[in-house]
C-alpha cells in the first residue's frame, strides 16, 4: 500500500476543488493513514506567469503561495500523525533546457518537484500547444524534450519529476517513437 503522496495541490493552484485547504488535506491524509504528504503549488503560478516565462523574464518569480503554505504546514506539524512537508512544483527553464529551474530561491521548500509544462521551441504550455506543434516537428520536439527531461532529472536540487512524460504522451509521441 502506498502511504505517501508527494503531489497535493491546494486551493491556491486554481485547479483544485474549494475544499483543498491545508487543514482539510491533513485530516484526509490521516483518515487514509498516510505517513507523509507534500503540500505544494506551482512556481511559476499557472497560468498567471505563462507569458512572463515565455518572454524569458522569469528571473525573480514571486512565490507567495509557497510561503503561505509553509506557514500553515509549520503550524500543523507535530499536532498530526501524518508528516507534512512543503513542496514546490517548479518548472524547468524552457529557454536554457540545461536542467535549471525557474526559481532560484528554494529556501523553506522540503521537496522540489520539477515540471516541464512548456515544450521546446513552442510558445505555449503543452496543453495549449495542440495547434502549434506540426506533425513533422513532433519527433524532433520529442527528442529535445527527452534530453531536457534528463538534464532536469540530473539537477541535484530536484527530488521528484512531476508527471514525467505527460506532455509528450498528450501528443501520442511516447507510444509513436518509443513503443
Amino acid at each position: 500500500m502506498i502511504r505517501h503522496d508527494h503531489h497535493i495541490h491546494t486551493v491556491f493552484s486554481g485547479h483544485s476543488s474549494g475544499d483543498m485547504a491545508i487543514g482539510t488535506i491533513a485530516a484526509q491524509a490521516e483518515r487514509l493513514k498516510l505517513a507523509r504528504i507534500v503540500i505544494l503549488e506551482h512556481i511559476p503560478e499557472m497560468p498567471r506567469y505563462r507569458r512572463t516565462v515565455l518572454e524569458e523574464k522569469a528571473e525573480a518569480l514571486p512565490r507567495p503561495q509557497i510561503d503561505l503554505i509553509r506557514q500553515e504546514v509549520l503550524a500543523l506539524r507535530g499536532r498530526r500523525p501524518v508528516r507534512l512537508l512543503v513542496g514546490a512544483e517548479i518548472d524547468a527553464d524552457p529557454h536554457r533546457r540545461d536542467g535549471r529551474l525557474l526559481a532560484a530561491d528554494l529556501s523553506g521548500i522540503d521537496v522540489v518537484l520539477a515540471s516541464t509544462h512548456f515544450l521546446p521551441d513552442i510558445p505555449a504550455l503543452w496543453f495549449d500547444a495542440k495547434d502549434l506543434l506540426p506533425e513533422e516537428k513532433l519527433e524532433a520536439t520529442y527528442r529535445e524534450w527527452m534530453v531536457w527531461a534528463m538534464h532536469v532529472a540530473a539537477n541535484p536540487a530536484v527530488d521528484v519529476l512531476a508527471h514525467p512524460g505527460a506532455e509528450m504522451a498528450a501528443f501520442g509521441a511516447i507510444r509513436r517513437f518509443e513503443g
Side-chain angles (χ1 to χ4, degrees), residues 14-171:
H15 58 65
S16 293
S17 66
D19 62 347
M20 293 298 287
I22 294 169
T24 307
I25 293 168
Q28 179 64 8
E30 286 175 35
R31 281 192 290 280
L32 295 172
K33 296 187 180 3
L34 296 180
R36 179 177 61 229
I37 61 172
V38 177
I39 299 174
L40 55 84
E41 282 315 332
H42 294 278
I43 299 177
E45 292 177 62
M46 297 292 172
R48 191 172 178 192
Y49 289 98
R50 171 178 22 199
R51 173 161 275 130
T52 302
V53 170
L54 293 173
E55 291 173 355
E56 298 189 56
K57 298 177 185 171
E59 302 83 31
L61 291 169
R63 45 172 263 172
Q65 72 282 22
I66 302 299
D67 296 326
L68 288 171
I69 289 169
R70 180 152 190 82
Q71 289 173 6
E72 289 191 45
V73 165
L74 289 175
L76 290 173
R77 273 191 187 159
R79 293 195 221 163
R80 302 208 177 255
V82 63
R83 183 168 179 220
L84 301 170
L85 299 172
V86 176
E89 182 176 349
I90 305 173
D91 268 281
D93 188 323
H95 302 292
R96 295 190 182 111
R97 295 199 296 267
D98 60 1
R100 272 184 260 194
L101 303 177
L102 288 175
D105 180 9
L106 302 179
S107 61
I109 297 171
D110 302 314
V111 179
V112 173
L113 285 82
S115 293
T116 56
H117 285 106
F118 302 90
L119 295 179
D121 302 320
I122 304 295
L125 292 164
W126 68 269
F127 45 79
D128 292 334
K130 290 269 189 213
D131 299 327
L132 298 174
L133 183 57
E135 181 69 26
E136 61 274 7
K137 191 176 177 188
L138 181 60
E139 184 171 5
T141 300
Y142 171 68
R143 300 284 175 214
E144 285 181 54
W145 180 87
M146 286 294 292
V147 170
W148 182 27
M150 286 187 270
H151 286 298
V152 173
N155 182 330
V158 172
D159 299 302
V160 179
L161 285 176
H163 41 74
E167 297 83 357
M168 291 291 105
F171 292 95

